[in-house]
Amino acid sequence: MEIQKWREILSPYELAVDELRIKFNYIIKQNKAAGRYSPIEQVICRVKTVSSILDKAKRKGIDLENVEEKITDIAGVRLICQFVEDIDKVVNIIRDRPDMEVMEENDYVHHSKPSGYQSYHMVVRYEVTTIHGPKLVPVEIQIRTMAMNFWATIEHSLKYKYSGNVPEHIGERLLAAAQAVINLDKEMSMIREDIVMAQDLFFNKARIVSEIKNNIQNLYKFENRDAMLNIQNEFFDLYQNGTLEELEEFNRQLDLVAARQGVQEL
């Protein structure tokens, strides 16, 4: 098949991946903007290379004319979660979306593969608009925790190194590592509330500090040098020794000063 033909075939898949990357990242952004915990931590996307498609077609005995029909993971999206509980939430988010039609689901989280592999796989049908009109594209979505993703990445590298025939002693170690991943995810779930609260505290403090710095920068044009030095010193002291509530109150006071001076927040 000519290179130009492959470009035409892969173009809609690339478009689907680009659009889904934006949509899933926007879910993260919306949750954080609302001060809510996001079940999706990271979005990773890819389109299979021509060589990968040819390898899979050969391995599965698929004619090149049928690759679009028979290979459903040409476009791939990986959604990384912090906790096992988040996986079911993300699955339900995808099921409920009107722009994605679920074609297939495989639960390797509750029913891991013999190798120890864990992940939740969904194949969805997603419509893109090309210069030739609308086209429905299958996209494989993998949902897993960070620990599961680390294990799967290592396993994939080893399979590549050994051409799919991983030595028995390494396979046994991988299986033991998979059990360690399960145990790690269970431990993280047990302290999930504390972890989420700590992360919320960190991000809220970072947000308030950023707002304070913007206010201080804007006020430099209107307040005298001594006043600004006092404001900066008070801010540095609160940043090092103050509570989140004290930083929030300090920021409110700066907002009032900025409003009196007519400072417009950019």
Side-chain angles (χ1 to χ4, degrees):
M1 193 181 296
E2 296 179 358
I3 294 297
Q4 183 58 37
K5 181 62 176 177
W6 275 115
R7 287 175 181 162
E8 292 175 6
I9 289 173
L10 295 181
S11 180
Y13 293 92
E14 292 167 353
L15 179 57
V17 159
D18 288 343
E19 290 185 8
L20 290 173
R21 179 188 289 109
I22 292 171
K23 290 183 176 183
F24 283 120
N25 274 317
Y26 194 65
I27 291 174
I28 299 174
K29 184 178 180 179
Q30 280 185 308
N31 277 295
K32 290 185 176 179
R36 293 163 48 184
Y37 171 79
S38 173
I40 302 173
E41 177 69 16
Q42 185 183 8
V43 182
I44 303 170
C45 301
R46 65 101 182 101
V47 174
K48 275 186 180 296
T49 62
V50 174
S51 60
S52 293
I53 295 171
L54 292 175
D55 286 344
K56 186 162 188 175
K58 182 179 179 181
R59 195 167 64 250
K60 298 286 186 179
I62 300 170
D63 293 334
L64 292 184
E65 292 75 15
N66 299 322
V67 291
E68 288 191 87
E69 179 185 348
K70 300 292 185 179
I71 299 179
T72 57
D73 65 341
I74 293 176
V77 175
R78 187 173 301 156
L79 304 177
I80 309 299
C81 308
Q82 291 195 69
F83 304 100
V84 176
E85 295 87 350
D86 296 333
I87 294 176
D88 287 337
K89 294 177 183 177
V90 176
V91 168
N92 287 327
I93 287 172
I94 294 170
R95 287 173 181 162
D96 292 340
R97 289 190 66 97
D99 56 347
M100 301 177 202
E101 179 190 352
V102 178
M103 301 166 57
E104 182 182 329
E105 296 186 46
N106 287 292
D107 184 357
Y108 301 120
V109 174
H110 300 97
H111 308 284
S112 59
K113 290 185 177 182
S115 64
Y117 175 87
Q118 284 190 293
S119 186
Y120 199 102
H121 289 196
M122 305 178 80
V123 177
V124 303
R125 189 181 282 115
Y126 180 78
E127 184 176 273
V128 296
T129 302
T130 72
I131 59 173
H132 304 294
K135 180 179 177 65
L136 287 171
V137 176
V139 180
E140 183 186 69
I141 302 176
Q142 299 176 351
I143 311 159
R144 56 179 71 153
T145 65
M146 291 183 282
M148 292 174 191
N149 189 57
F150 174 72
W151 185 96
T153 301
I154 298 302
E155 187 212 28
H156 180 78
S157 298
L158 288 171
K159 279 186 173 180
Y160 181 80
K161 176 182 178 181
Y162 293 106
S163 302
N165 299 310
V166 178
E168 184 177 349
H169 70 283
I170 294 180
E172 290 172 355
R173 287 181 176 272
L174 277 173
L175 193 57
Q179 185 58 53
V181 166
I182 292 172
N183 293 337
L184 174 61
D185 278 333
K186 284 181 179 178
E187 289 295 327
M188 292 298 103
S189 292
M190 291 178 69
I191 57 172
R192 181 181 188 276
E193 186 175 342
D194 288 327
I195 294 172
V196 172
M197 286 179 63
Q199 290 175 339
D200 285 345
L201 181 63
F202 174 82
F203 286 118
N204 283 333
K205 184 174 182 179
R207 174 182 55 80
I208 293 166
V209 166
S210 178
E211 291 177 4
I212 291 172
K213 289 168 68 177
N214 285 338
N215 266 330
I216 290 175
Q217 185 176 358
N218 290 332
L219 283 170
Y220 257 106
K221 302 172 185 177
F222 299 90
E223 294 288 333
N224 63 58
R225 183 174 181 275
D226 289 339
M228 291 309 303
L229 285 175
N230 288 334
I231 289 173
Q232 282 191 123
N233 289 334
E234 185 177 354
F235 165 57
F236 289 140
D237 182 61
L238 283 175
Y239 180 76
Q240 291 180 329
N241 306 307
T243 64
L244 182 62
E245 290 75 18
E246 288 173 329
L247 280 169
E248 288 175 334
E249 177 59 30
F250 181 73
N251 191 40
R252 279 193 289 269
Q253 295 302 319
L254 282 184
D255 283 339
L256 291 174
V257 174
R260 284 199 301 270
Q261 297 287 6
V263 176
Q264 298 295 318
E265 185 176 350
L266 300 178

